[in-house]
Amino acid sequence: GNGAWDPHSVSDPLNFKVSASRLAENVDMYTNTLGFDGIPIKDAKEISAGVARGFSGLALWPRLILDPKGDLVVEARGSGGGAQRSHWQTVL
């Protein structure tokens, strides 16, 4: 296809599965990371349990097609997917 996303073409477009094993892996990873930073293990476990089950956001780098012919396009990332100096051109 042309890369355009059609939300009507799929029955469940946004489905994020989180398993108990993945949560446990995340808790361990966060606990170890905080432990390396000098946080007491009891505190690290408590913080990690909350962080592993939290959701702070979802990063997206859209390609905005602003006309029907597709001639006017704003890339949130570079044309090859590379980083831009700023995301403000997309926000504006």
Side-chain angles (χ1 to χ4, degrees):
N2 63 4
W5 178 65
D6 179 3
H8 304 292
S9 67
V10 292
S11 61
D12 192 6
L14 297 174
N15 185 0
F16 300 96
K17 295 181 181 182
V18 180
S19 67
S21 63
R22 183 64 181 166
L23 288 173
E25 290 171 16
N26 286 344
V27 170
D28 289 344
M29 187 215 29
Y30 297 137
T31 300
N32 291 335
T33 300
L34 290 171
F36 285 133
D37 286 341
I39 305 294
I41 193 71
K42 178 180 178 271
D43 294 337
K45 284 181 179 181
E46 184 177 320
I47 293 167
S48 297
V51 170
R53 289 167 176 79
F55 181 76
S56 63
L58 181 66
L60 301 172
W61 292 272
R63 179 175 190 242
L64 305 175
I65 302 171
L66 302 176
D67 69 321
K69 291 172 58 179
D71 294 330
L72 186 55
V73 177
V74 177
E75 298 276 358
R77 304 283 288 180
S79 59
Q84 297 274 33
R85 290 180 56 97
S86 171
H87 69 285
W88 284 106
Q89 73 275 8
T90 304
V91 173
L92 299 174

